[in-house]
Amino acid sequence: MPPDDAGGCSGRVAPSDTPGCSVRLGGQREWTARHDNDGERITGVSIPPTTGEVFCLQPPFLPRNDPNSEHHLQGAERHIDTHFRLLREDALRSCRQALLALMHFGGAAGARARFTRDGRFFYDGGKSSCFVLTNAAFTGIEGSRSGVSVGMEFDEPPKVAEKSRKNKKKYWEGSRRLREGSLLCLWWDGPAGEPSPSTVATPGDLIFVQVVSRDERKLVVPRDEGDLVVPPKQKARAHPRQVVSRDEGDLV
């Protein structure tokens, strides 16, 4: 678990079905955040999780959909707050669990020996898995009216690298990996003592981005012959070494 000053957990443990608040003298409640993305109101909660949230071992605030249960809001605000937090947890829970499992083995670099030949990492006793693409790097940046995107390249998993270009194209055309809308987690996981290429990233930093386009023709080109372009819809200033990807509820 990262230290408190790195945006990790606070020292107080709160049940998952109660808000992160403590009772002061006189019965007045005061919000006590579990981590740096545990806002009292959902306007202060980022939909993509933060590094501190992912590595926080305290359970998130998941209010019960029961009007008699404890909640720090009332009326319509309570209804919206409850459903936002529950839907967000449904979308991000598997991603957070996979990243915690990777951290348990020392990060993506430490867990590399456990990767299968197609890049899959199994955890939770083999019941769950995610895909990890190694040595990811940015290849360019583009701007448009819809936002900023960056191109990416990465090492092919061994099982894919040994295929012919024709079979690689078939593989990517039939694969759900890196489909548009997929959530990617970029993890800077450099060797101990090696500084990050960015002033904002340190080993263990996470940046969440979304895939906005995928070109199978470029994905079949070996890395030393051209760029593999998969631009996420978010400007990312770090230079991560590992990519953990999630698609359709599972990390793929």
Side-chain angles (χ1 to χ4, degrees), residues 95-225:
C95 185
R96 189 176 65 250
Q97 289 178 330
L99 292 168
L100 277 172
L102 282 171
M103 176 58 77
H104 176 75
F105 289 103
R112 186 183 293 268
R114 296 177 173 268
F115 297 166
T116 63
R117 285 180 50 78
D118 65 348
R120 190 187 293 265
F121 167 65
F122 286 91
Y123 60 97
D124 191 21
K127 294 182 289 185
S128 303
S129 67
C130 65
F131 285 100
V132 182
L133 303 171
T134 59
N135 291 322
F138 297 128
T139 61
I141 186 169
E142 295 182 3
S144 66
R145 292 182 178 180
S146 60
V148 178
S149 64
V150 293
M152 291 194 66
E153 66 176 13
F154 46 84
D155 290 346
E156 295 176 299
K159 189 174 181 179
V160 178
E162 65 190 19
K163 295 179 181 291
S164 66
R165 288 201 181 188
K166 180 179 179 181
N167 288 334
K168 284 182 184 180
K169 189 171 186 296
K170 289 182 179 179
Y171 169 83
W172 283 111
E173 287 175 345
S175 174
R176 294 181 302 163
R177 296 194 200 182
L178 305 178
R179 290 288 188 185
E180 292 185 15
S182 298
L183 179 68
L184 304 184
C185 177
L186 312 181
W187 183 333
W188 164 249
D189 200 13
E194 179 181 324
S196 164
S198 168
T199 58
V200 299
T202 58
D205 273 0
L206 308 177
I207 300 174
F208 289 87
V209 295
Q210 184 181 29
V211 177
V212 294
S213 67
R214 188 185 80 166
D215 190 338
E216 288 83 2
R217 295 171 301 175
K218 293 183 178 180
L219 285 169
V220 304
V221 179
R223 188 169 190 173
D224 57 357
E225 295 182 21

Side-chain angles (χ1 to χ4, degrees), residues 13 21 35 37 78 156 190 202:
V13 177
C21 56
H35 48 74
N37 196 32
R78 171 179 179 152
E156 295 176 299
T202 58

Side-chain angles (χ1 to χ4, degrees), residues 16-30:
S16 62
D17 61 349
T18 60
C21 56
S22 56
V23 180
R24 302 174 63 184
L25 293 176
Q28 183 180 359
R29 289 186 176 274
E30 180 182 39

